[in-house]
Amino acid sequence: MRNEPAIAAATEMRPGRYPELSALGMYEAVLATFLRQWSLDPKAVDGFLACPAGMASGETADIFVHEELADSLGLHPRFSETVNAGGASYAIMAHRASWAISEGLADAVLCVGAGKFPKVGAGGADAMARMVSHPDFEYIYGAFIPALYALAARRHMHERGTTREQLAAVAVSTRRWALLHPDALMRGQGPITLEDVLNSRPVAEPFNLLDCSVPCEGGAAFLVARGDIARRITPQPAYLLGAGEYHDHGPVSAARDFAAMGAPEAATAAFRSAGLVPADVRVAEIYDAFTINSIMFLEATGLVAPGEGGRFFLEGRGAPGGELPVNTYGGLLSFGHTGDASGISMVVEGALQVMGRAGARQAPDASVALVHTYGGMMSEHCTLLLGRNP
Amino acid sequence: MKGKPLPRVTEVTRPYWDAARAGRFVIQRCGRCRRFVHYPRPWCPHCWSTELDWVEASGRGEVVTYTAVHQAPSPAFAVGAPYVLAVVRLAEGPQMMANVVHIQPREMRVGLPVRVTFEEREGGFRVPQFEPATG
Ligand SMILES: [Zn+2]
């Protein structure tokens, strides 16, 4: 990419429950956390991207949040909007920001997301089901989020031989990473075993409770800047080497390939734009609402062969000490799923790994990181490739 | 307790739900490229013709994928849990979501041949469902 756009700063707020904060209040808390960590000059920031505030929790769907927050921050951007592609929003923001910088539309773009996940009891599951499924042709059949992902898992198991035990291995591997992250929600719960996952209560076959990500609240912010500006902020920024998107289906029942969804198309475009191949990737951060996602998207992005993803996790190859660290922050499975903001966690972690700022969970070689995110029911995909050298 | 949810009926989807009330399973067919279309919409996604006809479908299909839901999203569905949620590929080509009924979850499999049946809901609604096709 021209002008070497890079992620120059990134901070995620500690995931948890923040009942005292409104949707906009969550944004303020995220930005305050970010500003405390990075001393930035507001005059240097001329781009601003945000996501609709309060959507997943049903509190509101504020699509003017970019105006409110830019004003509050004293910014007068020449590039700004509220972006929404569900969980893919934030990788897409990074893509849009790098593109705007390459085209000279902005020099430094601040990207932010904050979210709340509704409580699954108390009608939350039903409200979410109505939002993510076709209201007239899916919702009426008792569709809801874990069940819709279970459809992908079952098809993957059928086509590629993935086993129930291999799904559990993803949860075990991801928890091991969470134990190394001071802010991970499930850190205090300690390690889990295959048996723990297999014996947790059934939700929607093949998933049990420990195959599901952990609902919580939180958010993050990151700054994408022109290379020279980025290097003034931090000695080792995370260069955006490539990006690819693909918007596959609306309702999940319309998916054409349940074992891959639209991920291969997005990843192929990202590798092409970066001039890289999957073997160049040293760390992978993959959106993991459920255990199947890490397996299917590791395969779909070409990092492992089709049908090898399950065995990869069962053999511990994605865990700490493994050949290809996967979801080093603990994933949505064990770090926490922050509702509207969930898709920012893997972008932030990919950047921190490449920047060498991941602390105890730092991968030994993070020269190239792949970030794969999707929005909706695995509907729209965005893959990023981040690296140490432009 | 509130019953299972009902679809909203729109100008586009009315023929589908009216037919279901009468125990008939109809889907759209493009008047130009002759391909079948489901869920209902005002245009053909293959050629963008806006001339779509409603035709009687075979009601036959096979299971593309499925799950047995143990933790239902609402009390109306909890009564029947575990229930089978599936994606069925119709013999005419399009896929649709439905429950597979009259089967135990452990007997479900990908590729299972199924045929349409109807489930009564409130207000005289009948919702297309599938059951194992025998013979
Ligand atoms: Zn047509």
Side-chain angles (χ1 to χ4, degrees):
Chain A
M1 287 184 183
R2 282 176 292 152
N3 297 330
E4 312 164 2
I7 297 178
T11 299
E12 176 138 20
M13 122 185 213
R14 189 186 184 95
R17 286 287 180 190
Y18 298 94
E20 72 284 7
L21 295 178
S22 66
L24 196 63
M26 286 296 295
Y27 267 93
E28 291 174 341
V30 165
L31 283 165
T33 309
F34 175 80
L35 294 179
R36 271 195 295 274
Q37 190 181 350
W38 301 89
S39 53
L40 299 170
D41 177 1
K43 289 189 292 298
V45 175
D46 58 358
F48 186 77
L49 297 173
C51 263
M55 211 168 44
S57 62
E59 183 186 344
T60 170
D62 185 351
I63 56 167
F64 294 106
V65 68
H66 66 289
E67 289 180 6
E68 293 151 8
L69 292 171
D71 185 79
S72 170
L73 288 162
L75 296 177
H76 303 282
R78 43 190 191 116
F79 174 75
S80 185
E81 63 185 303
T82 292
V83 175
N84 180 45
S89 301
Y90 305 95
I92 284 178
M93 275 185 195
H95 188 193
R96 299 284 188 277
S98 66
W99 173 45
I101 291 165
S102 294
E103 292 297 321
L105 300 178
D107 293 329
V109 183
L110 181 56
C111 301
V112 60
K116 293 193 168 197
F117 203 117
K119 292 244 163 51
V120 172
D126 189 47
M128 297 270 286
R130 191 186 284 272
M131 187 164 67
V132 301
S133 62
H134 192 302
D136 307 321
F137 293 93
E138 292 185 338
Y139 174 68
I140 63 164
Y141 294 114
F144 81 124
I145 294 176
L148 297 178
Y149 281 83
L151 297 173
R154 175 59 60 193
R155 187 71 201 185
H156 198 278
M157 294 165 95
H158 173 76
E159 285 183 21
R160 303 190 181 185
T162 300
T163 66
R164 176 57 275 224
E165 191 182 37
Q166 290 171 347
L167 293 172
V170 174
V172 172
S173 171
T174 313
R175 177 64 62 87
R176 286 187 58 198
W177 282 113
L179 300 180
L180 301 175
H181 194 309
D183 290 343
L185 207 61
M186 302 307 278
R187 187 183 191 209
Q189 307 288 315
I192 50 174
T193 63
L194 293 178
E195 288 66 35
D196 290 333
V197 185
L198 298 175
N199 294 330
S200 59
R201 74 180 150 79
V203 175
E205 293 175 26
F207 297 145
N208 292 344
L209 187 65
L210 291 179
D211 290 286
C212 309
S213 50
V214 195
C216 64
E217 302 168 357
F222 61 89
L223 183 75
V224 184
R226 215 176 58 206
D228 56 324
I229 299 170
R231 286 186 293 273
R232 284 201 294 273
I233 294 169
T234 189
Q236 176 59 74
Y239 294 97
L240 277 147
L241 306 179
E245 306 180 15
Y246 194 73
H247 301 260
D248 191 64
H249 54 270
V252 75
S253 55
R256 293 165 294 177
D257 181 353
F258 279 90
M261 301 297 183
E265 290 86 348
T268 301
F271 280 114
R272 194 187 311 120
S273 73
L276 295 173
V277 295
D280 294 319
V281 173
R282 295 289 178 269
V283 183
E285 309 296 345
I286 292 176
Y287 194 106
D288 59 336
F290 295 88
T291 47
I292 186 61
N293 297 133
S294 303
I295 294 173
M296 66 191 285
F297 297 131
L298 206 61
E299 293 179 7
T301 53
L303 299 184
V304 301
E308 290 296 310
R311 196 164 64 180
F312 174 91
F313 285 101
L314 197 57
E315 293 171 354
R317 289 151 64 191
E323 68 190 52
L324 176 68
V326 178
N327 290 349
T328 49
Y329 66 106
L332 306 182
L333 289 173
S334 275
F335 175 80
H337 184 308
T338 57
D340 302 309
S342 54
I344 204 166
S345 300
M346 56 290 308
V347 177
V348 166
E349 179 68 6
L352 293 178
Q353 286 286 343
V354 169
M355 294 162 84
R357 302 177 67 104
R361 63 188 191 280
Q362 179 67 49
D365 173 4
S367 53
V368 177
L370 176 142
V371 176
H372 185 81
T373 65
Y374 62 80
M377 292 299 102
M378 298 163 279
S379 302
E380 37 195 355
H381 296 255
C382 184
T383 309
L384 301 178
L385 288 160
L386 305 173
R388 290 211 162 141
N389 301 304
Chain B
M1 186 184 72
K2 235 168 126 271
K4 290 181 183 175
L6 302 176
R8 303 161 307 181
V9 178
T10 67
E11 282 313 299
V12 173
T13 63
R14 188 177 303 283
Y16 180 83
W17 298 113
D18 282 350
R21 261 176 212 267
R24 293 167 46 238
F25 181 63
V26 298
I27 61 173
Q28 290 175 300
R29 186 175 200 182
C30 176
R32 187 195 288 165
C33 76
R34 310 298 295 160
R35 290 169 81 169
F36 294 92
V37 176
H38 189 74
Y39 50 96
R41 59 198 91 175
W43 43 71
C44 169
H46 307 291
C47 74
W48 284 6
S49 164
T50 56
E51 305 299 319
L52 291 153
D53 305 314
W54 286 99
V55 296
E56 200 92 23
S58 65
R60 299 268 170 171
E62 67 169 51
V63 172
V64 176
T65 184
Y66 67 92
T67 177
V69 180
H70 291 258
Q71 185 188 311
S74 58
F77 285 102
V79 176
Y83 58 91
V84 176
L85 184 74
V87 173
V88 170
R89 187 187 316 286
L90 302 174
E92 289 79 8
Q95 291 174 178
M96 66 178 283
M97 187 170 283
N99 302 122
V100 179
V101 297
H102 308 142
I103 191 169
Q104 292 300 315
R106 66 176 179 279
E107 291 164 356
M108 280 297 298
R109 60 180 175 85
V110 170
L112 181 79
V114 290
R115 68 173 173 225
V116 78
T117 178
F118 294 91
E119 178 188 308
E120 305 272 343
R121 298 259 171 114
E122 287 165 15
F125 262 98
R126 295 177 84 190
V127 170
Q129 296 284 26
F130 288 87
E131 63 184 0
T134 44

